[in-house]
Amino acid sequence: VAESDNYYGPIVKTFFGLHFGNYAGNFGRWVYFSLGMLGAFLFYSGNLLWLEKRRQKQAQQTRSSKFMASLTIGVCLGSILGVVGAIVLTKWFYLITDKVNDYYLATYYVAFFSAIAYSFVRGAAIAAIHLQRLLALVCIAIPVTSVLGYLVPSLNLWTTLNGATKTVDLIAIVFAIIFFKGAQKTKHRAIFGEQNSIWKISTAPKN
């Protein structure tokens, strides 16, 4: 058994490195992160374009189109919200426990399924606006938490001042701006877009 472990151990480690980008250090991990975000965006934008093209062939939106639209918004934005929410809450979980890994999956899936449920309850157009605003808020909470942990060390928040943490905070600020601008553009499309579009709402959302 020991010889088998010595033989397969390096192979398994190599596959883990390829899967997570560890073979290239932090640069590889960020490349993998960027590719993952691009993949989510391609799925998101591809479904939007497909639904719009399908709309042009129909006099009225079908129930299946509305279902697909809500599912697209919920799954795509919900998966991002789950990841970002886990990053933020992990820092705060250190106030109550050191075993933060136990909360990763719970945080992710609560955010993920809540976003899907919200998309079906409010509809794709309104949910897209609200979820992007929420994403902008949660993204900006990452650097805010880091600054708060540095200024008030008595809180015992998890925070460091190394290059990796600063990079995460900087990327979070960039995405906060992207999601905020995206919410504005989505709201404009929802109000002033084509009347029969699945992304159209009859009146402006209250908030």
Side-chain angles (χ1 to χ4, degrees):
V1 177
E3 292 181 358
S4 177
D5 290 340
N6 291 334
Y7 179 77
Y8 289 107
I11 297 177
V12 174
K13 186 177 180 180
T14 299
F15 278 110
F16 268 97
L18 290 172
H19 182 76
F20 293 105
N22 296 332
Y23 63 90
N26 286 331
F27 175 77
R29 297 185 186 98
W30 281 112
V31 169
Y32 271 46
F33 172 80
S34 301
L35 292 174
M37 293 298 294
L38 288 174
F41 175 75
L42 286 175
F43 177 79
Y44 180 81
S45 60
N47 275 17
L48 298 188
L49 293 173
W50 179 78
L51 287 169
E52 280 297 293
K53 185 176 180 180
R54 185 179 182 185
R55 177 191 64 81
Q56 297 173 0
K57 301 178 181 179
Q58 299 172 337
Q60 188 175 2
Q61 294 296 336
T62 63
R63 182 177 298 179
S64 61
S65 295
K66 295 179 181 179
F67 179 89
M68 179 61 72
S70 296
L71 191 62
T72 297
I73 297 299
V75 170
C76 293
L77 298 184
S79 60
I80 301 174
L81 181 62
V83 172
V84 178
I87 294 175
V88 175
L89 292 180
T90 293
K91 297 186 176 185
W92 289 93
F93 282 147
Y94 274 95
L95 293 174
I96 58 177
T97 181
D98 292 332
K99 299 179 180 180
V100 295
N101 289 336
D102 298 338
Y103 296 91
Y104 275 130
L105 289 178
T107 300
Y108 175 84
Y109 283 113
V110 167
F112 177 71
F113 287 113
S114 295
I116 294 177
Y118 188 78
S119 296
F120 280 101
V121 171
R122 297 303 305 272
I126 294 179
I129 299 171
H130 290 176
L131 289 177
Q132 286 184 92
R133 287 178 178 175
L134 180 59
L135 276 167
L137 181 63
V138 177
C139 282
I140 205 66
I142 295 176
V144 169
T145 301
S146 297
V147 172
L148 185 61
Y150 174 72
L151 296 177
V152 190
S154 60
L155 290 176
N156 294 321
L157 294 175
W158 180 86
T159 181
T160 59
L161 296 179
N162 57 34
T165 300
K166 292 179 181 178
T167 302
V168 171
D169 290 341
L170 179 61
I171 295 297
I173 293 173
V174 172
F175 274 101
I177 296 173
I178 291 174
F179 286 124
F180 179 76
K181 293 294 185 181
Q184 289 182 316
K185 290 184 178 295
T186 303
K187 180 179 178 180
H188 184 273
R189 179 190 63 189
I191 298 173
F192 302 105
E194 295 184 35
Q195 188 63 37
N196 194 40
S197 174
I198 200 167
W199 310 111
K200 170 75 174 178
I201 53 179
S202 57
T203 58
K206 296 181 180 180
N207 45 46

